[in-house]
Amino acid sequence: MKIKAPRGTHDILPSQSHAWQFAENLFQKIVWQYGYQEIRTPMFEETDLFLRSAGDTSEVVTKQMYSFKDKGDRDITLKAEGTAPAVRAYLEHNLGEQGTMTRLWYRTPVFRYERPQTGRYRQHHQLGIECLGSSSPLADAEVIEIAIRFYRELGLENLSVSLNSIGKAQTRGAYREALLKHGQAYISDLAEEDQQKAEKNPLRLLDSKDPKAIAAFSDAPSIQDFLEEDSKVHADVLQSALTSAGIPFTVNPSIVRGLDYYNDTVFEILSGEIGSQSAICGGGRYDGLVKEFGGPATPAVGFGMGIERMLLVLEATGKIVPSPTPDAYLVAATESARLPLISLARSLREQGFSVGMDLDGKNLKAQFKAADRSNARFAIVLGDDEIASGTVSLRDLKASQQTIIKMEDLPNALR
Ligand code: HAM
């Protein structure tokens, strides 16, 4: 029996990895412009980290964590999201100084036991940023601007930013009561999962995909009407900053997010190109998390974006990231040219060129076939005559033209 990759995971093949590299390099370039530095945290953490941050009513915690006991009887969970590990490391290594901002970015696999479908995997990958130390709504705006700028430069179109404010803990307490009051006549008819949400965290009912819950809560009171004054001001300033940055958005009161650490700003960026798994980015403010982990009160905001989903959007819109091709393929015209050819390849590689060649003693015809297959622009042919005269034959494989040039002119010709 052949062993396959586990359900919900996928290999990133050579034909795809250049698109990943392209996106990751672009992301790295953009976040660097905003002062972000990379953090890499372990692939697994103590389970408590996620229990205390994502919240014990979130689906990530109740259903999706890859948790196990290690051989030392410790409770371990594969990285279920990027924020809690980054905040843990921030505290553990004192990365923050009071009154200053710390900007961290990461690229990481994330493990969630979900029902796999297109755009939803058990191991997916995220690019994310966490901006710690500012309570200003301008920090929220900057974080959203970074995501949009990245997507625009990547070539994604047909995106929308959905924004909401879920206020402070007290606000949500009062709002929960109001939601339950509104829904009391319907709750016993809802699916069991939604009944549990009503019991543990009624805000999640707004997120439900079940038509019964959607109908029951479509005319529910809006959290906007429960916000405290400073939350309202925060939301207003954020919206003005986004407008001034030329970033269109809609306020969507049903965005509550699947993780429990958020307050005030929450947002999602959706693509109209990839069906139901349309959220390509999600984030928000989490002013209580650093304190929850035992640190000083530290406001923070960030996002995580799914790499697979954004590549699906690129694919759906026919935007292809061209894969890089070698500069040249080296061809030995005679047996005695094989070793000198290896020296030539070494020298060209040291000068920064990417060159391919045969190492198995293939005949001339097979070498030219391989040159074509490699998609290199040039074939460089070396035989006894060329060696004797200090030249090479340079064949332009696209134009099918061949010229003889001096060995020392080869780098310039390739350039
Ligand atoms: P999240 O919304 O759970 O947020 O995930 C962020 C993004 O990861 C989603 O918008 C989606 O693009 C992608 N994603 C999530 N689950 C899957 C999956 N099963 N398959 C494929 N892609 C997926 C967080 O994880 C927060 N840590 C974001 C954050 C950072 N908030 C503040 N800072």
Side-chain angles (χ1 to χ4, degrees):
M1 191 190 69
K2 277 192 193 154
I3 299 178
K4 292 189 170 166
R7 185 166 147 75
T9 70
H10 51 91
D11 300 308
I12 301 158
L13 301 174
S15 59
Q16 304 160 324
S17 54
H18 65 278
W20 285 69
Q21 288 168 9
F22 179 80
E24 289 166 1
N25 290 342
L26 177 65
F27 187 80
Q28 186 165 354
K29 184 192 93 181
I30 289 176
V31 296
W32 176 79
Q33 293 168 348
Y34 288 81
Y36 281 81
Q37 291 182 303
E38 187 182 8
I39 185 155
R40 302 187 190 198
T41 63
M43 282 309 110
F44 56 86
E45 295 278 350
E46 285 182 22
T47 297
D48 255 358
L49 183 82
F50 298 111
L51 295 184
R52 278 170 54 189
S53 52
D56 56 9
T57 65
S58 77
E59 282 200 347
V60 169
V61 165
T62 54
K63 294 190 186 160
Q64 299 174 351
M65 291 201 309
Y66 276 90
S67 300
F68 56 95
K69 286 237 189 245
D70 73 4
K71 291 189 197 312
D73 211 29
R74 285 172 281 261
D75 286 306
I76 296 293
T77 293
L78 298 187
K79 200 187 270 193
E81 61 108 23
T83 307
V87 170
R88 184 217 21 88
Y90 165 87
L91 266 179
E92 188 170 335
H93 306 286
N94 290 317
L95 300 185
E97 254 175 65
Q98 214 57 41
T100 63
M101 281 164 82
T102 305
R103 290 175 161 97
L104 305 172
W105 76 271
Y106 48 81
R107 72 186 122 194
T108 184
V110 170
F111 304 89
R112 295 180 185 171
Y113 192 80
E114 298 201 73
R115 205 157 40 79
Q117 66 176 83
T118 305
R120 188 165 68 198
Y121 310 102
R122 292 186 175 164
Q123 176 180 336
H124 72 276
H125 298 77
Q126 287 188 18
L127 292 168
I129 62 175
E130 310 298 349
C131 172
L132 296 120
S134 172
S135 58
S136 168
L138 299 182
D140 309 19
E142 186 184 274
V143 159
I144 295 174
E145 174 183 309
I146 290 172
I148 291 297
R149 169 118 188 265
F150 167 68
Y151 286 143
R152 282 184 184 158
E153 287 201 23
L154 196 62
L156 302 198
E157 289 155 14
N158 196 4
L159 301 181
S160 56
V161 179
S162 287
L163 199 62
N164 192 18
S165 173
I166 55 167
K168 316 258 179 279
Q170 306 89 292
T171 307
R172 289 193 295 282
Y175 183 57
R176 260 180 217 126
E177 296 302 312
L179 268 184
L180 286 178
K181 199 163 159 215
H182 170 88
Q184 63 189 356
Y186 315 101
I187 286 172
S188 56
D189 291 337
L190 297 181
E192 186 167 336
E193 190 180 336
D194 283 339
Q195 292 194 30
Q196 281 173 12
K197 286 183 187 170
E199 205 171 292
K200 291 181 172 168
N201 191 350
L203 255 71
R204 290 257 148 72
L205 287 166
L206 300 176
D207 235 4
S208 176
K209 307 275 182 286
D210 184 17
K212 271 193 199 157
I214 293 173
F217 288 91
S218 61
D219 57 348
S222 164
I223 195 161
Q224 303 289 323
D225 300 326
F226 289 74
L227 295 181
E228 291 172 26
E229 197 48 36
D230 56 348
S231 292
K232 276 191 205 154
V233 172
H234 190 98
D236 286 347
V237 177
L238 167 59
Q239 291 178 24
S240 308
L242 289 178
T243 304
S244 125
I247 297 171
F249 59 87
T250 47
V251 176
N252 179 351
S254 71
I255 293 209
V256 290
R257 307 275 303 130
L259 300 152
D260 271 357
Y261 44 62
Y262 294 109
N263 63 276
D264 291 318
T265 309
V266 287
F267 66 91
E268 286 182 349
I269 303 177
L270 308 173
S271 161
E273 306 285 352
I274 50 169
S276 65
Q277 301 306 309
S278 60
I280 56 172
C281 177
R285 183 160 275 289
Y286 51 96
D287 293 338
L289 192 57
V290 177
K291 198 150 178 231
E292 171 65 33
F293 287 170
T298 308
V301 56
F303 68 64
M305 43 175 63
I307 303 182
E308 286 83 354
R309 288 187 193 175
M310 75 194 176
L311 295 180
L312 282 175
V313 178
L314 274 187
E315 212 180 286
T317 51
K319 299 231 160 67
I320 296 178
V321 181
S323 74
T325 52
D327 298 300
Y329 194 92
L330 308 195
V331 172
T334 56
E335 278 314 303
S336 49
R338 291 200 190 264
L339 271 184
L341 204 63
I342 290 181
S343 302
L344 177 59
R346 184 180 308 116
S347 156
L348 288 173
R349 286 167 181 155
E350 281 168 4
Q351 293 175 72
F353 296 103
S354 162
V355 299
M357 66 185 296
D358 160 61
L359 298 175
D360 290 315
K362 293 215 168 71
N363 66 28
L364 201 59
K365 197 171 155 209
Q367 290 182 69
F368 272 113
K369 220 170 167 182
D372 276 335
R373 254 204 316 268
S374 77
N375 283 324
R377 171 80 194 274
F378 295 105
I380 297 167
V381 188
L382 195 69
D384 295 347
D385 293 348
E386 284 88 355
I387 292 173
S389 58
T391 60
V392 292
S393 298
L394 185 67
R395 182 187 289 203
D396 185 326
L397 291 170
K398 286 217 176 78
S400 291
Q401 284 167 355
Q402 188 158 318
T403 48
I404 294 181
I405 59 170
K406 284 203 195 113
M407 187 69 95
E408 61 263 32
D409 294 337
L410 183 56
N412 270 341
L414 288 179
R415 267 180 213 115

